[in-house]
Every structure is written in structure tokens, then in C-alpha cells.
Amino acid sequence: MEQYEPDRPPPAPAAAARRSLATGRASLTRRSLLRAAGGGTLALGALGTLSACGIPPAKNTAGVPSDDHSDEEKRIAFSNWTEYMDVDDGEKRHPTLDAFTRRTGIRVEYTEDINDNVEFFGRIKPQLAAGQDTGRDLIVVTDWLAARLIRFGWVQKLDASNLPHAYANLSAQFRTPDWDPGRAYSYPWTGISTVIAYNKKALDGVEVRSVSDLLDNPKLKGRVGFLSEMRDSIGMTLLDMGKDPADFSDDDFDAAVARLQKAVDTGQIRRFTGNDYTSDLSRGDLAACLAWAGDVVQLKADSPEVDFVVPDSGYMTSTDNLLVPNRARHKTNAERLIDYYYEPGPAAQLAAYINYVCPVDGVRTELAKIDEAAADNPLILPDEAMAARSRAFRSLSTKEETAYEEKFAKLTGA
């Protein structure tokens, strides 16, 4: 178990954190505040903040059992992201949560208090580091932060006997992340896929099928966008180069950076963007770009000119994940809620509203009853062929995170 040691981030990772907050997945979009997935960079920034505040290093709380009050206290404190839960037409009630309460008698105290991984980590880390209750039974954080919390021993191992639907219905592509093999500590809330989006009118007949097309076709010079999130842009480039983002070397990373640097130097890449690519793509200022699938679903609904392609080389997928923090008072209740969202009915209702990749197998029939277009959309329910092309960025050591983010920050001009 890795021991938590607070330290100050070097300048480049700190800049990358600011970049993500300004234009990355932490920035305000048309639909919501999306999750900041700046990787270890953001975590390092949060660690530095902790050190600056004089908070002591974490106690070794791994494996220390927590008292579970689920039987006598029928409630769950659930922290999630903004716009990450289904709502009724009046936008005052959450139908799936209400149905869970009617069935189980467990009241869900649902709070949309996560706008950014770093900010949220900064709020819960003092209690976690001290081995104290955060006041939350269930949280949703992006995979890099989930991995760090697991390494520090700050989340509880889940009881498989309380998760029969989750165990049976979890999609194969999400079962074995290297940071939580077999999903002993976490289950995905949603998947977040990175694909190539394009504006058909702006392309004017130019074919875009791969990252190579984005980087090498002179007809697209100055009209190509890449993402300001290192794992997405480097990961997609590694795939295009025939490398596996789940198993690459320092030399492979440097080669991907060099390939992107060449496209920057020649003016092929217009800029590195966060969610602000959506307006550029809709207007046609960007002919094609790397894009997040949740955005593409909404863009396609708004503009007939926008479409997407999944490269034959593959695409990057990250996850936002459900975890039970140490010292949570209602672990069993939280596990029952996790399992509930792996039933096809509730999972379909959730997917129909949030439009991100559903990690639950067997929901197509239920989703088609709600929204046939969503059920047929591979960005929400990847078919077998698309799921097989999904790749995840491997876990990084603190040393690697620092070195890689410094190189990426130099590339993007952060």
C-alpha cells in the first residue's frame, strides 16, 4: 500500500492543473460541469495544497474496519457531479433514486457537490488523511483519482455478496483496470470515450478516419484540434503509432510528443482545447478534432453537420467510478445502491439522461423503451466491435506523472 506523502507540485504540473480548470473537463460546458481528468498532475497539485496547509501525512488506515450502521440508519450520503443523475420534467426529483428509496426504505441524501476532482479531493483529504469519516458514504471520482485513493488505502473494499447485479452485468471492457483488477474497490458510474469528431461541411470532401489524417493531411492545416488532457491526446497518438497506452515506455511517450510537436510547428494543429472545441467544431473553425463522446452526442443532436469516427487503431476510454470512503457509516447501504444501478432498468434510465457510455450489459431493450436513438448509439452503448477497440491509459507513478506532464505542458504551451 503506497504511503501518502504530501509535496508541492513542480511548475509544469501546476500549470496543467490550471489549464484543465480553465479549458479542460473542469470547465463549464453547455450541458454541465464535466469531470476534470488531468491525471496525476491535478492530484499533485492537490497534494501540494495539502502540504501548504500544514496537514499531517496520512495515518495508515488501510484494512482498518469501519463500523457499519446500515441496519439501524436507513440512509446514504451520496456525492456526485453536476448533471450526472436523471431528473424529472420539473428538474426537482431524481426518479431512479426515488424508486430505490421506495423499494428499500433507504433515503438517499444526494448532493451535486463535485465540480472538479482536485477541488473535491481538497475537501475530503484532511479527513481521509486523519482516518476520519468524510460524511459521505458514496463518491464518484475519475479513474486517476480513484487509483490514488485505493493506493493510499483511503477507500473500503467492497463486499461482493452485496453486488450480484454489478458483478454479473459489468461490461467486459471495464472489468480489469490495472489500478483495481477485478473491481475490488470500485465500480464505474460511466465511461468517457475519446473519438474523432468532424464537421462535414468544413471537411468539404476530405476524408478523416484516423489520427494520422488529422496530423498529416495538408488540406486540414490549421483546422485540427487536439485535447488539453494529456492522457487523451497522447493516448490517441500512441494508438495511431501502433503502441498500447496500457503498456508503453518512456521512449514511446517521447515519440508521441515529438509527433504532435511536429504538427504544432507546421501549424497543422490549430490548438489544444478543453470543452471549448464544441463551438469551434459547430461553426466549422475546426474541421476535425479529438472529442469526448458525451459532447458528440449532444453536438450531433444540435447540428446535422457534426459526426464522428472511431479509428481502426482504437480509442481512449476513462471512467468515473463509485467508491466507499474509509469510515463511511453506511457501507452496506452504499453497496446496495451501487448494485441497483447495475440492474438494466435503472441503468437504462440513467443512460438515457446523461448520454455517457453505459458500463452495464443488457440494457439495450430497456433503453429502447425510453429512447430508441440512444439505444442504437454506439457512443452510449458500444457494440462488441467498438468495445474491443477501447483502450485505457495505464497507471503512472508519481515520477512518471511529473515528467510526462512537464513534457506535455511544453508541447501545448501551458
Side-chain angles (χ1 to χ4, degrees):
M1 190 69 64
E2 180 178 329
Q3 177 66 28
Y4 173 75
E5 295 181 0
D7 56 2
R8 294 180 182 275
R18 292 192 297 271
R19 179 183 69 238
S20 182
L21 290 171
T23 62
R25 276 190 253 175
S27 61
L28 185 64
T29 68
R30 181 176 68 84
R31 206 180 140 78
S32 67
L33 282 166
L34 299 179
R35 63 243 18 94
T41 286
L42 300 182
L44 286 168
L47 299 182
T49 301
L50 179 53
S51 179
C53 292
I55 297 170
K59 298 177 181 178
N60 187 359
T61 58
V64 177
S66 301
D67 292 334
D68 191 349
H69 300 270
S70 293
D71 286 342
E72 65 268 25
E73 298 176 3
K74 296 295 185 181
R75 64 185 184 87
I76 305 168
F78 182 11
S79 285
N80 204 349
W81 297 81
T82 305
E83 298 286 350
Y84 231 16
M85 180 65 74
D86 57 305
V87 297
D88 61 12
D89 291 339
E91 299 192 355
K92 294 181 180 180
R93 308 290 300 179
H94 299 293
T96 56
L97 289 178
D98 291 345
F100 174 80
T101 298
R102 288 194 298 271
R103 180 199 295 184
T104 65
I106 299 170
R107 179 169 55 89
V108 182
E109 299 168 2
Y110 184 73
T111 308
E112 294 181 336
D113 61 347
I114 308 177
N115 289 325
D116 161 69
N117 282 298
V118 173
E119 178 189 39
F120 183 65
F121 184 49
R123 274 187 279 144
I124 64 174
K125 65 181 180 269
Q127 293 97 327
L128 291 173
Q132 299 171 352
D133 181 9
T134 66
R136 298 168 174 85
D137 301 303
L138 194 60
I139 61 175
V140 179
V141 296
T142 305
D143 45 20
W144 66 266
L145 181 53
R148 188 169 289 271
L149 293 174
I150 292 170
R151 290 201 306 271
F152 289 160
W154 287 358
V155 293
Q156 299 188 55
K157 190 172 184 178
L158 301 173
D159 185 345
S161 66
N162 293 326
L163 298 160
H165 296 98
Y167 181 82
N169 296 336
L170 176 61
S171 297
Q173 73 180 102
F174 298 114
R175 282 189 176 271
T176 57
D178 64 354
W179 47 270
D180 186 17
R183 292 289 181 179
Y185 294 88
S186 69
Y187 270 89
W189 181 247
T190 59
I192 307 166
S193 298
T194 302
V195 297
I196 295 175
Y198 57 86
N199 183 305
K200 289 178 280 189
K201 184 176 181 180
L203 283 180
D204 193 24
V206 176
E207 185 177 54
V208 171
R209 302 288 305 175
S210 67
V211 170
S212 288
D213 292 334
L214 297 180
L215 295 175
D216 300 333
N217 191 329
K219 294 181 179 180
L220 299 179
K221 183 176 180 178
R223 298 189 296 142
V224 168
F226 273 66
L227 292 167
S228 58
E229 302 296 348
M230 182 267 287
R231 283 166 171 77
D232 294 314
S233 286
I234 295 295
M236 292 291 282
T237 304
L238 285 169
L239 284 170
D240 191 70
M241 297 167 62
K243 303 295 182 179
D244 185 354
D247 183 18
F248 64 90
S249 66
D250 289 346
D251 288 342
D252 295 333
F253 184 91
D254 290 344
V257 169
R259 189 161 185 229
L260 292 172
Q261 186 66 60
K262 180 180 178 182
V264 170
D265 293 342
T266 61
Q268 183 77 8
I269 294 177
R270 182 186 184 96
R271 64 191 184 101
F272 291 83
T273 72
N275 289 103
D276 48 331
Y277 68 79
T278 56
S279 57
D280 288 347
L281 187 65
S282 296
R283 290 194 304 266
D285 294 339
L286 287 176
C289 64
L290 297 188
W292 291 305
D295 291 337
V296 176
V297 172
Q298 294 301 312
L299 287 171
K300 280 175 59 66
D302 293 341
S303 173
E305 300 298 336
V306 173
D307 211 335
F308 75 97
V309 63
V310 178
D312 290 338
S313 60
Y315 66 101
M316 298 303 299
T317 297
S318 58
T319 50
D320 280 342
N321 306 274
L322 295 150
L323 300 101
V324 178
N326 277 359
R327 304 299 185 186
R329 290 179 61 86
H330 312 103
K331 177 175 181 285
T332 299
N333 290 345
E335 290 167 341
R336 292 183 68 182
L337 185 62
I338 294 173
D339 196 62
Y340 169 75
Y341 278 106
Y342 274 80
E343 296 178 24
Q349 286 181 261
L350 182 66
Y353 181 79
I354 66 176
N355 291 160
Y356 283 87
V357 178
C358 180
V360 183
D361 279 342
V363 303
R364 184 173 300 278
T365 299
E366 294 297 324
L367 185 54
K369 296 175 184 177
I370 304 168
D371 186 337
E372 289 188 10
D376 292 333
N377 192 331
L379 297 181
I380 298 174
L381 294 183
D383 57 26
E384 186 174 340
M386 183 169 174
R389 285 184 279 170
S390 172
R391 296 293 183 271
F393 206 90
R394 69 171 172 83
S395 296
L396 302 178
S397 68
T398 300
K399 181 179 179 181
E400 286 176 323
E401 287 173 342
T402 301
Y404 291 172
E405 285 289 1
E406 285 180 343
K407 292 174 181 178
F408 190 70
K410 183 178 179 181
L411 168 70
T412 61

